[in-house]
Amino acid sequence: MRIKSLLILFITGLFAAGLLSCGGKKGRNATISGAFALYPLGVKWTEQYKAVNPGLRFDVSAGGAGKGLTDVLAGAADVAMFSRQLTDAEKKKDIWVFAVAKDAVLPTFSRHNPDAALIRKKGLTEAQLKDVYLSGKNNISWGALLDTSGTHNVVVYTRSDAAGAADTWAAYFGGKQENIKGTGIYGDPGLAEAVGKDANGVGFNNVAYVYDITTGKKRPGIDVIPIDRNGNRQIDPGEDFYENADSILQAISDGRYPSPPARDLYFITKGKPTDPDIIGFLKWVLTDGQKYVKTAGYVPLTDAVIKEQLQKLQ
Amino acid sequence: MVALQRLIIPSKWADRISDGWLNIAVLFLILLPLVIGTGLVIKSLPLLEKVPLGAMLSSSDWSPQQGHFGFFAFIMGSVWVTLLSFVLSAPVCLLSAIYLTEYSPAWLTQAMYFVIDVLAGIPSVVYGVWGVLVVVPLLADYVAPALGLTTTGYCLLSGGIVLAIMAVPYMLNMLMEVLRSVPIELKEASLSLGATYWETIKWIVLRKGLTGIIAALSLGVSKALGETIAVLMVVGNISKVPSSVFDGAYPLPALIANNYGDMMSVPLYDSALMFAALILFVIILLFNSITNIFLYRIKEV
């Protein structure tokens, strides 16, 4: 009996302590939800912002761009992280879009490809890439792409889950994710793994998955297909910037890498933000927060774009 | 306490109240599928109003953002992957169950129960990862080349194999219970009439347990039909009607899991995913009804 009452006391005490720790702090709360592509940066930003603004607490969760948008429209989240273009139906809603950083989607191939050296030297033109990824033909040979006698056919891998990366890569050719025809693999890491294993495989990944951000080197297994933008069937010095994370981030930043597949990443709010906490956070992200962008593996916005975004907040 | 209860509520009333509660509980369970079905129909209506039902079910042209909603490839993907897993797992399970209940030493049966528990407890995402790491390369590097074919390994057969293994603990456990429940007197009678042991199993045990066996196998099929994450990791997710087991396929649950969440802000896409769920619901409803009718017939005979 005594043990029982002690136990009850203990549990009641725990419960009370839990309640106190939840309600005790007079903190304000901001909820952020949405794209996986922005999630690491979103976490970084909220951590840094909390250091200068201890009064504001954040809940950051990743569930996909569309989920973030739905949450914001339903009032379940204050800010959505968004990594693709809005569809026409989505544009009609009262949505405020703030560009906060840039990244890019890069076409990848397997390191095991016997023609790897030639692919790095010649690259593929936009028309060839479009044919490979969007046509749905499964008889395009590496030989035909690289003007050799190779007979192995290209095998296309794409994301099976709805993803901003796939949508952005398709947007390069004027399409949507559903237009990319290939074997669907779940998630960014899964796609990199599948392409790496298949010597004839091609796919695409976010910059942060192609390069290891801490070392700046390409991840094992996969390599980047250089894009031959002027179509002279060789990668000129001006088109050669895939060596490490720094060089590709620089190329995205100054526009040598085309956009799309380079893309803006957005924070989205329902209507013009009125909550001073949210406005304060968004302003900080666009000013002081930009210095954390590059270390997280993304490209900071240009001054002109930042000015434009800040004006929206006035 | 009991005295207090007697004092306040006469036992006749207490009876009625508890009766009412039981009825409500049962009614709630009966209504549950109806509520789920109705919810799915309401959510699918925006799509059903725009696109004719027949066209959606017979076409395999899937590009929702351009307004093409063809579910045929997904339905076929579901049907094929389920059938394949059934063909791979049902005979093995049935034969193992016979061996484990009729022939094997007691320690082996006991060990098998332990294995079944472990297999049933492994989360499906672990089966999926295992499929990607083991089954997919095995098919791509060894099995398909040996048959003179090429495949990425992300195909119908991978999905079928992973699903078959996942269905084993459920099927096997129930089959063993069914076979064990056949009265020993029946077997003794058969043996004493001169039947061999195998004849006894074939004509007495299996015949007597037939309804249970069918129920166990249909449980395995239902499990396979709705399984999601492990399948979508290995099956290739290509929205095309597969023409061989080495082609990629795209079952309905994978379609919903891949796009739900991210596509909820696109109105008709949202509705299309709900319709996919409705198709799955109807397939399971039909399948279970058919099994039930079949079982009812057997019992009548």
Side-chain angles (χ1 to χ4, degrees):
Chain A
M1 195 61 197
R2 225 168 128 197
I3 293 174
K4 213 174 180 181
S5 48
L6 268 178
L7 208 70
I8 290 171
L9 203 71
F10 179 65
I11 291 171
T12 325
L14 269 186
F15 189 64
L19 273 183
L20 277 179
S21 72
C22 281
K25 262 187 217 160
K26 282 236 163 190
R28 290 151 298 156
N29 229 340
T31 312
I32 302 176
S33 134
F36 288 98
L38 247 182
Y39 179 71
L41 187 53
V43 170
K44 180 115 190 160
W45 270 334
T46 50
E47 276 170 4
Q48 297 297 335
Y49 188 69
K50 253 191 300 196
V52 284
N53 264 295
L56 191 59
R57 300 196 321 134
F58 289 96
D59 291 326
V60 189
S61 65
K67 171 80 164 57
L69 182 58
T70 315
D71 282 352
V72 160
L73 290 176
D78 300 305
V79 178
M81 303 179 278
F82 208 71
S83 62
R84 57 172 165 87
Q85 294 299 311
L86 289 167
T87 64
D88 290 336
E90 287 166 346
K91 274 181 196 157
K92 285 180 195 140
K93 292 165 185 165
D94 182 25
I95 295 170
W96 281 62
V97 181
F98 301 92
V100 289
K102 281 183 88 164
D103 84 336
V105 181
L106 303 171
T108 56
F109 70 98
S110 171
R111 288 261 169 105
H112 299 301
N113 193 312
D115 289 324
L118 199 59
I119 297 171
R120 274 183 223 117
K121 199 174 141 216
K122 285 188 130 176
L124 294 181
T125 64
E126 189 185 329
Q128 284 179 322
L129 288 168
K130 183 175 181 178
D131 206 29
V132 166
Y133 285 93
L134 259 57
S135 69
K137 293 180 207 158
N138 48 13
N139 58 354
I140 302 172
S141 72
W142 281 107
L145 292 175
L146 300 166
D147 304 316
T148 64
S149 55
T151 53
H152 288 291
N153 290 335
V154 180
V155 180
V156 180
Y157 292 89
T158 179
R159 285 279 289 277
S160 68
D161 49 326
D167 219 45
T168 307
W169 181 238
Y172 182 34
F173 315 109
K176 298 265 181 207
Q177 167 164 10
E178 62 204 32
N179 301 117
I180 302 179
K181 307 290 180 203
T183 300
I185 310 288
Y186 190 82
D188 245 337
L191 182 52
E193 175 88 13
V195 171
K197 266 198 260 172
D198 188 337
N200 297 307
V202 296
F204 50 83
N205 276 113
N206 289 318
V207 171
Y209 279 95
V210 176
Y211 298 92
D212 184 335
I213 295 307
T214 48
T215 62
K217 290 189 182 128
K218 287 172 204 156
R219 284 178 196 266
I222 51 168
D223 206 336
V224 184
I225 305 174
I227 303 177
D228 177 14
R229 295 191 68 186
N230 57 15
N232 65 352
R233 298 317 287 120
Q234 64 170 355
I235 295 301
D236 303 320
E239 293 166 340
D240 185 14
F241 36 70
Y242 302 94
E243 186 53 36
N244 53 43
D246 270 350
S247 59
I248 183 71
L249 291 180
Q250 188 58 45
I252 295 165
S253 157
D254 58 30
R256 277 176 297 150
Y257 190 73
S259 172
R263 60 176 168 181
D264 285 335
L265 298 169
Y266 307 98
F267 274 174
I268 281 180
T269 58
K270 184 186 183 185
K272 190 178 181 181
T274 48
D275 183 344
D277 286 332
I278 301 296
I279 295 175
F281 174 64
L282 286 175
K283 271 187 182 163
W284 178 87
V285 160
L286 289 165
T287 51
D288 291 347
Q290 288 293 308
K291 66 174 175 252
Y292 303 105
V293 172
K294 208 164 172 190
T295 51
Y298 299 78
V299 177
L301 300 173
T302 58
D303 288 339
V305 177
I306 290 179
K307 212 169 159 191
E308 197 185 308
Q309 308 303 311
L310 281 171
Q311 257 163 14
K312 282 195 215 168
L313 279 168
Q314 294 307 321
Chain B
M1 192 65 191
V2 176
L4 194 72
Q5 220 171 20
R6 283 228 182 101
L7 204 74
I8 298 171
I9 312 167
S11 57
K12 201 173 86 184
W13 285 96
D15 243 21
R16 269 198 198 165
I17 290 171
S18 59
D19 214 36
W21 269 112
L22 296 178
N23 279 337
I24 288 171
V26 171
L27 196 70
F28 176 74
L29 288 182
I30 291 176
L31 280 178
L32 209 54
L34 201 69
V35 172
I36 295 174
T38 317
L40 291 176
V41 169
I42 291 171
K43 281 290 216 173
S44 321
L45 275 179
L47 183 68
L48 286 166
E49 277 165 5
K50 253 196 174 140
V51 193
L53 185 67
M56 280 196 290
L57 293 179
S58 63
S59 144
S60 51
D61 183 3
W62 177 258
S63 40
Q65 313 233 15
Q66 269 114 43
H68 301 300
F69 297 93
F71 287 90
F72 187 64
F74 301 104
I75 297 171
M76 279 297 125
S78 273
V79 169
W80 279 118
V81 84
T82 306
L83 272 181
L84 202 57
S85 81
F86 181 74
V87 168
L88 291 174
S89 62
V92 177
C93 283
L94 190 57
L95 294 177
S96 316
I98 292 172
Y99 177 74
L100 289 166
T101 49
E102 306 295 335
Y103 293 97
S104 82
W107 64 267
L108 185 61
T109 314
Q110 215 49 48
M112 204 55 212
Y113 273 115
F114 176 73
V115 171
I116 286 174
D117 286 347
V118 171
L119 283 179
I122 296 174
S124 59
V125 67
V126 176
Y127 282 104
V129 170
W130 174 79
V132 170
L133 295 178
V134 178
V135 181
V136 168
L138 193 75
L139 292 183
D141 300 340
Y142 300 101
V143 179
L147 298 170
L149 299 162
T150 52
T151 175
T152 58
Y154 292 92
C155 61
L156 205 53
L157 189 55
S158 301
I161 292 173
V162 170
L163 262 188
I165 292 166
M166 291 178 71
V168 161
Y170 298 91
M171 271 195 200
L172 188 56
N173 194 21
M174 202 164 155
L175 282 173
M176 281 165 77
E177 291 307 322
V178 167
L179 296 185
R180 276 156 66 106
S181 70
V182 175
I184 193 134
E185 291 81 5
L186 283 179
K187 283 196 274 181
E188 283 170 354
S190 160
L191 289 169
S192 65
L193 285 173
T196 63
Y197 201 51
W198 176 241
E199 280 169 341
T200 306
I201 290 170
K202 213 161 50 167
W203 298 115
I204 306 298
V205 178
L206 291 185
R207 171 92 27 124
K208 181 74 186 148
L210 189 60
T211 49
I213 291 168
I214 290 171
L217 296 182
S218 80
L219 178 79
V221 171
S222 302
K223 165 96 183 140
L225 195 60
E227 187 47 61
T228 317
I229 190 81
V231 181
L232 82 84
M233 286 169 82
V234 298
V235 81
N237 302 304
I238 297 172
S239 59
K240 207 174 73 178
V241 180
S243 54
S244 95
V245 291
F246 291 106
D247 278 356
Y250 208 156
L252 285 163
L255 172 73
I256 300 167
N258 273 326
N259 297 293
Y260 198 77
D262 215 42
M263 288 301 167
M264 281 193 301
S265 55
V266 185
L268 272 185
Y269 212 128
D270 178 31
S271 188
L273 294 180
M274 289 297 171
F275 184 66
L278 183 65
I279 297 175
L280 205 55
F281 182 78
V282 170
I283 292 177
I284 287 186
L285 206 66
L286 282 178
F287 177 74
N288 277 309
S289 311
I290 292 169
T291 332
N292 270 325
I293 293 168
F294 192 60
L295 287 176
Y296 185 68
R297 286 254 171 95
I298 292 174
K299 273 181 195 157
E300 293 247 296
V301 170

